């Protein structure tokens, strides 16, 4: 392993190459400082690491001969550091915005490139100077493209980390002659900006193919760039901000470093700003944890890299604090919220002193009392898989758990045998049957790193799809150690706890594509999007990726393919439903050895938000609601600005490692009352169906267009 100093020296020499660079620091004017918490990077640990971003899968950087013909223009000019320098292919020249003793050009700064011909572009790259951390490197940015230099389309935005690595703003291939980089903040809060090089990637993919929206497949919207690999992601249910985290470093984890902190990045969809925060105050590296929301919308993050810590993010205070540690230190466990508002965890791997395959029993957190209670009769052996060639280390990872009636927990997988878990007294585990249909596949396997989502809590319906018998695919020496991922998909129907559950094949024969490390996202209309993953699951690889997402419709009992993207989303990626009914799909990697790090996420816009010409459909809007804090069995009224035909609640959840146990959808029955466009609905009576916590309430019109969500908080039923 290279020490940090070695890495730093190594990189600096690579970067400087044979051309030595003489950097004159801009004169020390009293620089205007931006709101550091909002959008300017701090210098953190994790500078000067080996791994930059994974390059685009498609296309190539436009070569120097063509760059020589580009025209470059910018909003701030300084003699000797003209903006034309960003395309000269030299590392010892750079564009610098104006800073003199007399005056300084303030942010934002724009630089515009004329490619001199229309290209199918798919990425912009930016090379900072080697002293990026001292200031002057692009942090906050927006990337636009244009055919005519008049109408600009936003294709990527966000904040880049303040290290020396080349930065990417990748996006789905689109025709453009002009690209514009708008710089909204710089590292160390400086007003000036310096860029060594700007590159543009283009592909020669045929450009006359119909747009996905005209095919009814939805489309991929702008890319959000994060100053870290977003591995764990959740939405602050109060403010609607998207909070992501990596590890103690933005681009890697582990390596024997015992820095118990976590880098987080927050995207505010209302302003487009992405800010960074280094959470040191909890002494907790939250990489690979259990995630669950409590009734008050506080995100409870248990274990992970610092296996003996539990942290809570309180969205009302924007604060991270420690709570009582678990009885058993662990990472990779399953975690879920129960009817009584308590948070249950079971399984997982490693411990405070490295790999430790001891007791991984279930335990439950009481957020009111701040205590954990362990159950001697809920063992991880009872729920583990049996086929993984990596054995115990993997057998009880990422357990699919759903809270249900009578405070029970249904364990849907990844083991092929499903279970009912009763977290009372000493606890109890009982079989709920086998997930699989022998008529469909003669051998039923465990499905590690598959997905499960309760898309209709009222009917007890869970979709389970994909996964593989082992976490990692392995063959070699003529011996196949494990099978690849599956297309198998099932609808599981729950009745009362402790009863065997019903299992049916979802669709004709499961999904179109085999996948592990994929993600399930429940949509407001009751369909489920399955996105990303790969056929040969191997951690930190991008072989056999699945670029085409697919949607399961329970009404048609069918899967349909939707618009593909071009960025692999495999191990350590995520997907989440946003409040505007689009889906954020991102991350992948966090490897310090392989070029698989994705410092971004892409927005998928389902067809329900589009017209056939690709423009935005008119949404119904919720204009009024009754008290949004309701008990199970309680009633709720809303007013809208147009006719609606259905409504549903989708619970906020936390996504990491293909797991989002907390998401569930509660379809609501509408009754039109009183004045036009006033509707009455009842929350299900059982708190095991209406699990307490924050939900997004969506209403849909007759065309199936969802509104933006408004919050409903379901309180803990007095019956629990
Ligand atoms: C400029 O630096 C990059 C790495 O940062 C390197 O790959 C490239 O070869 C260098 N170019 C020249 C002309 O030295
Ligand atoms: C930079 O470009 C953006 C997008 O085209 C535009 O809205 C903005 O006004 C420009 N800013 C400046 C300072 O020219
Ligand atoms: C940020 O810039 C100031 C000068 O304005 C400098 O004193 C300080 O060292 C810089 N911070 C870092 C982390 O380089
Ligand atoms: C708990 O497990 C022990 C050992 O398997 C068993 O003897 C006991 O009956 C169980 N208790 C309950 C309440 O299930
Ligand atoms: C609810 O669970 C408790 C404890 O696990 C059990 O004793 C009781 O019989 C269950 N009630 C119903 C209605 O299933
Ligand atoms: C809902 O609000 C949006 C944004 O204000 C608006 O464009 C749309 O027309 C509204 N929908 C209806 C049905 O009026
Ligand atoms: C909700 O409405 C139903 C039907 O009008 C009524 O029977 C019930 O009492 C109401 N529940 C509450 C908690 O107000
Ligand atoms: Cu992991």
């Amino acid at each position: 392993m290279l020490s940090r100093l070695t890495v730093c020296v190594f990189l600096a020499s690579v970067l400087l190459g044979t051309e030595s660079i003489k950097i004159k620091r801009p004169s020390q004017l009293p620089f205007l400082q931006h709101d550091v918490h909002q959008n300017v990077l701090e210098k953190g640990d994790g500078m000067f690491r080996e791994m930059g971003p994974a390059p685009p899968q498609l296309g190539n950087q436009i070569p120097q001969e063509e760059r020589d013909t580009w025209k470059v223009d910018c909003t701030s000019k300084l003699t000797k550091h003209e903006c034309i320098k960003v395309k000269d292919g030299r590392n010892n020249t750079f564009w610098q915005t104006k800073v003199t003793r007399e005056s300084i050009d303030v942010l934002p700064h724009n630089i515009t490139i004329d490619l001199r011909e229309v290209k199918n572009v798919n990425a912009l790259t930016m090379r900072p100077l080697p002293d990026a951390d001292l200031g002057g490197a692009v942090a906050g940015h927006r990337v636009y493209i244009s055919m005519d230099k008049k109408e600009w389309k936003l294709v990527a935005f966000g904040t880049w980390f303040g290290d020396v690595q080349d930065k990417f703003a990748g996006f789905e291939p689109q025709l453009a002659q002009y690209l514009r980089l708008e710089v909204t903040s710089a590292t160390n809060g400086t007003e000036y900006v310096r860029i060594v090089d700007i590159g543009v990637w283009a592909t020669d993919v045929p450009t006359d193919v119909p747009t996905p929206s005209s095919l009814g497949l939805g489309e991929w919207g702008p890319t959000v760039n994060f100053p870290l690999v977003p591995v764990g992601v959740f939405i602050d249910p109060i403010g609607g901000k998207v909070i992501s985290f990596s590890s103690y470093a933005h681009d890697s984890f582990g390596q024997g470093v015992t820095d118990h902190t976590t880098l987080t990045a927050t995207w505010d969809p209302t302003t487009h700003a992405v800010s960074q925060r280094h959470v040191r105050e909890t002494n907790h590296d939250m990489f690979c944890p259990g995630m669950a929301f409590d009734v008050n919308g506080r995100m409870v993050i248990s274990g992970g890299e610092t296996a003996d810590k539990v942290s809570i993010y309180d969205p009302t205070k924007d604060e991270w604090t420690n709570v009582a540690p678990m009885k058993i230190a662990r990472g990779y466990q399953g975690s879920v919220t129960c009817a009584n508002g308590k948070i249950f965890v079971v399984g997982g791997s490693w411990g405070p002193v490295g790999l430790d395959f001891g007791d991984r029993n279930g335990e439950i957190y009481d957020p009111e009392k701040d205590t954990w209670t362990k159950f001697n009769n809920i063992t991880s052996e009872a729920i583990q898989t049996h086929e993984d060639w990596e054995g115990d280390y993997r057998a009880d990872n990422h357990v699919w758990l759903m809270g249900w009636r009578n405070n029970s927990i249904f364990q849907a997988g990844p083991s092929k045998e499903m279970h009912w878990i009763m977290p009372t007294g000493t606890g109890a585990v009982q079989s709920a049957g086998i997930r699989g249909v022998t008529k469909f596949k003669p051998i039923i396997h465990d499905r590690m790193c598959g997905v499960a989502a309760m898309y209709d809590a009222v009917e007890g319906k869970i979709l389970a799809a994909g996964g593989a018998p082992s976490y990692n695919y392995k063959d070699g020496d003529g011996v196949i150690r494990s099978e690849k991922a599956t297309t198998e998909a099932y609808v599981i129907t729950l009745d009362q706890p402790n009863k065997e559950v019903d299992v049916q094949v979802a669709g004709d024969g499961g999904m179109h594509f085999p996948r592990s490390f994929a993600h399930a996202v429940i949509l407001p209309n009751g369909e489920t999007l399955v996105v990303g993953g790969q056929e040969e699951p191997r951690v930190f690889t991008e072989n056999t990726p699945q670029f085409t997402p697919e949607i399961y419709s329970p009404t048609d009992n069918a899967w349909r393919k939707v618009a593909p993207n071009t960025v692999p989303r495999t191990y350590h990626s995520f997907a989440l439903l946003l409040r505007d009914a689009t889906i954020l799909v991102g991350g992948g990697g966090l490897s310090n050895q392989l070029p698989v790090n994705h410092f971004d996420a892409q927005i998928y816009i389902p067809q329900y938000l589009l017209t056939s010409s690709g423009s935005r459909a008119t949404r119904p809007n919720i204009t009024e609601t009754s008290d949004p804090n309701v008990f199970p069995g309680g009633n709720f009224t809303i007013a809208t600005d147009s006719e609606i035909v259905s409504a549903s609640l989708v619970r906020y959840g936390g996504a990491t490692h293909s797991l989002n146990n907390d998401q569930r959808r509660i379809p609501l029955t509408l009754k039109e009352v009183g004045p036009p466009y006033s509707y009455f609905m009842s929350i299900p009576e059982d708190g095991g169906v209406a699990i307490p916590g924050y939900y997004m309430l969506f209403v849909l019109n007759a065309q199936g267009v969802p509104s933006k969500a408004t919050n409903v908080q379901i309180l803990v039923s007095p019956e629990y």
Side-chain angles (χ1 to χ4, degrees):
M1 196 184 325
L2 296 168
S3 76
R4 282 193 214 184
L5 185 64
T6 322
V7 171
C8 173
V9 170
F10 168 75
L11 259 179
S13 58
V14 165
L15 198 105
L16 294 174
T18 48
E19 297 179 276
S20 75
I21 202 162
K22 289 197 188 66
I23 305 162
K24 206 168 140 239
R25 299 214 46 82
S27 25
Q28 294 301 308
L29 276 181
F31 292 126
L32 307 176
Q33 296 290 323
H34 278 254
D35 179 353
V36 169
H37 184 68
Q38 270 313 305
N39 56 11
V40 173
L41 297 170
E42 64 187 87
K43 180 181 178 183
D45 288 332
M47 313 292 287
F48 301 107
R49 281 175 196 283
E50 300 104 303
M51 294 318 302
Q57 292 262 319
L58 274 185
N60 289 296
Q61 182 156 345
I62 296 176
Q64 190 59 41
E65 311 85 82
E66 287 183 47
R67 282 166 29 121
D68 288 340
T69 69
W70 291 359
K71 286 187 180 163
V72 185
D73 195 14
C74 51
T75 52
S76 177
K77 299 182 163 77
L78 188 68
T79 318
K80 290 196 194 141
H81 297 294
E82 298 81 5
C83 40
I84 202 87
K85 302 257 156 81
V86 301
K87 61 138 200 167
D88 64 8
R90 295 163 65 102
N91 285 337
N92 59 352
T93 64
F94 52 90
W95 170 45
Q96 181 170 316
T97 59
K98 189 175 166 195
V99 194
T100 66
R101 287 200 189 283
E102 295 74 39
S103 71
I104 179 166
D105 281 353
V106 300
L107 291 162
H109 304 295
N110 283 1
I111 181 162
T112 306
I113 291 170
D114 177 356
L115 302 176
R116 308 295 295 281
E117 63 177 319
V118 174
K119 294 245 176 198
N120 201 28
V121 295
N122 67 319
L124 176 142
T125 66
M126 188 282 300
R127 179 170 304 147
L129 262 73
D131 65 344
D133 56 322
L134 299 177
V138 181
H141 62 275
R142 292 177 190 156
V143 177
Y144 305 85
I145 59 173
S146 175
M147 290 290 275
D148 58 9
K149 231 170 143 181
K150 292 190 190 84
E151 271 184 48
W152 293 93
K153 178 180 179 188
L154 181 68
V155 288
F157 61 88
T159 297
W160 283 315
F161 193 77
D163 65 355
V164 300
Q165 296 286 351
D166 282 7
K167 300 297 182 294
F168 279 88
F171 44 90
E172 293 306 311
Q174 287 164 76
L175 296 182
Q177 182 176 340
Y178 305 92
L179 288 97
R180 176 172 283 173
L181 173 67
E182 180 180 21
V183 183
T184 55
S185 71
T187 49
N188 199 17
T190 62
E191 287 294 330
Y192 71 90
V193 169
R194 302 187 305 186
I195 298 177
V196 174
D197 188 272
I198 291 180
V200 175
W201 285 59
T203 82
D204 44 29
V205 164
T207 53
D208 55 352
V209 292
T211 61
S213 58
S214 69
L215 297 171
L217 306 179
E219 62 182 40
W220 290 86
T223 300
V224 188
N225 288 321
F226 288 92
L228 47 72
V229 176
V231 181
V233 184
F234 63 95
I235 298 173
D236 144 18
I238 310 292
K241 293 178 183 167
V242 176
I243 301 177
S244 67
F245 56 93
S246 53
S247 182
Y248 71 92
H250 73 295
D251 61 351
S252 55
F253 70 97
Q255 302 182 80
V257 177
T258 49
D259 180 355
H260 301 292
T261 68
T262 304
L263 287 183
T264 70
T266 299
W267 168 42
D268 184 346
T270 59
T271 62
H272 280 169
V274 176
S275 58
Q276 178 180 287
R277 176 162 168 186
H278 198 154
V279 178
R280 304 169 196 273
E281 54 270 37
T282 51
N283 295 307
H284 184 183
D285 183 337
M286 301 185 286
F287 178 54
C288 301
M291 297 172 77
F293 272 120
D294 78 359
V295 60
N296 291 315
R298 299 188 309 167
M299 172 46 73
V300 179
I301 299 195
S302 53
E305 191 74 4
T306 312
D308 58 353
K309 286 285 194 317
V310 179
S311 298
I312 281 194
Y313 176 75
D314 185 338
T316 62
K317 302 182 185 138
D318 189 23
E319 225 172 66
W320 289 92
T321 50
N322 284 122
V323 294
M326 287 180 287
K327 300 277 184 204
I328 303 165
R330 53 179 121 206
Y332 277 10
Q333 68 274 19
S335 174
V336 76
T337 308
C338 304
N340 58 10
K342 295 183 185 176
I343 292 168
F344 178 79
V345 301
V346 69
S349 286
W350 71 83
V353 282
L355 300 181
D356 164 4
F357 306 131
D359 169 4
R360 297 280 175 251
N361 283 18
E363 53 181 310
I364 201 160
Y365 179 64
D366 182 337
E368 269 180 28
K369 298 201 184 106
D370 188 21
T371 53
W372 286 91
T373 308
K374 186 178 147 182
F375 301 103
N376 289 330
N377 278 28
I378 305 177
T379 65
S380 60
E381 286 78 12
I383 51 101
Q384 75 192 9
T385 66
H386 295 283
E387 297 175 81
D388 206 304
W389 63 267
E390 288 178 280
D392 278 356
Y393 172 53
R394 295 301 192 187
D396 52 3
N397 287 187
H398 312 310
V399 192
W400 313 347
L401 303 170
M402 324 255 157
W404 193 240
R405 300 173 191 270
N406 197 22
N407 266 329
S408 65
I409 296 148
F410 177 66
Q411 183 245 330
S415 57
K416 66 182 170 197
E417 182 163 24
M418 303 173 288
H419 297 90
W420 288 104
I421 298 174
M422 300 305 294
T424 50
T426 56
V429 183
Q430 179 177 324
S431 177
I434 301 291
R435 190 190 58 262
V437 175
T438 45
K439 197 171 65 180
F440 174 50
K441 286 278 162 74
I443 303 171
I444 297 172
H445 289 290
D446 295 325
R447 292 301 175 201
M448 183 51 73
C449 297
V451 294
M454 187 181 272
Y455 63 87
D456 184 342
V458 172
E459 298 290 329
K461 299 280 185 192
I462 296 166
L463 178 70
S470 290
Y471 206 112
N472 283 290
Y473 173 74
K474 187 174 181 181
D475 60 5
D477 308 331
V479 185
I480 293 182
R481 300 287 190 88
S482 63
E483 292 196 14
K484 295 181 186 178
T486 187
T487 56
E488 279 173 49
Y490 297 102
V491 172
I492 303 164
T493 308
L494 309 184
D495 186 358
Q496 292 302 321
N498 293 336
K499 282 181 63 177
E500 191 146 318
V501 300
D502 181 66
V503 177
Q504 302 291 335
V505 175
D508 275 347
M511 297 185 290
H512 292 281
F513 302 101
R515 23 183 136 218
S516 256
F517 304 137
H519 312 283
V521 179
I522 303 170
L523 306 179
N525 61 8
E527 297 185 330
T528 301
L529 172 79
V530 175
V531 58
Q534 65 190 144
E535 181 176 358
E536 281 179 22
R538 299 181 212 246
V539 299
F540 304 113
T541 68
E542 305 199 324
N543 59 309
T544 63
Q546 298 301 4
F547 290 122
T548 302
E550 47 194 310
I551 290 179
Y552 176 69
S553 159
T555 320
D556 305 338
N557 187 30
W559 291 89
R560 64 176 193 275
K561 301 175 203 170
V562 295
N565 70 335
T566 60
V567 182
R569 301 294 178 190
T570 57
Y571 189 53
H572 286 155
S573 59
F574 78 94
L576 263 189
L577 179 69
L578 300 181
R579 279 175 165 187
D580 67 357
T582 64
I583 294 96
L584 190 68
V585 182
L590 204 74
S591 168
N592 46 294
Q593 284 157 13
L594 299 161
V596 293
N597 288 345
H598 294 277
F599 299 88
D600 66 357
Q602 292 171 283
I603 295 168
Y604 173 67
I605 305 164
Q607 187 64 29
Y608 57 46
L609 289 172
L610 301 169
T611 65
S612 55
S613 66
S615 60
R616 289 296 177 119
T618 305
R619 293 178 190 261
N621 298 297
I622 300 170
T623 52
E624 266 177 72
T625 66
S626 58
D627 183 353
N629 312 102
V630 282
F631 285 99
N635 297 324
F636 193 70
T637 57
I638 59 165
T640 59
D641 64 356
S642 49
E643 190 178 359
I644 57 165
V645 298
S646 66
S648 66
L649 294 169
V650 182
R651 199 171 185 278
Y652 288 95
T656 191
H657 291 78
S658 299
L659 217 55
N660 183 351
N661 286 336
D662 257 19
Q663 72 172 331
R664 74 170 48 197
R665 174 175 164 276
I666 303 175
L668 299 168
T669 306
L670 290 177
K671 207 164 80 182
E672 195 156 5
V673 287
Y677 309 144
S678 293
Y679 303 87
F680 171 93
M681 50 202 107
S682 295
I683 307 294
E685 271 176 38
D686 194 314
V689 173
I691 292 287
Y694 274 84
Y695 286 75
M696 298 180 252
L697 169 66
F698 293 96
V699 299
L700 292 87
N701 66 17
Q703 289 76 46
V705 185
S707 64
K708 290 190 178 175
T710 192
N711 271 356
V712 170
Q713 183 192 18
I714 299 183
L715 304 164
V716 178
S717 163
E719 281 164 33
Y720 287 100

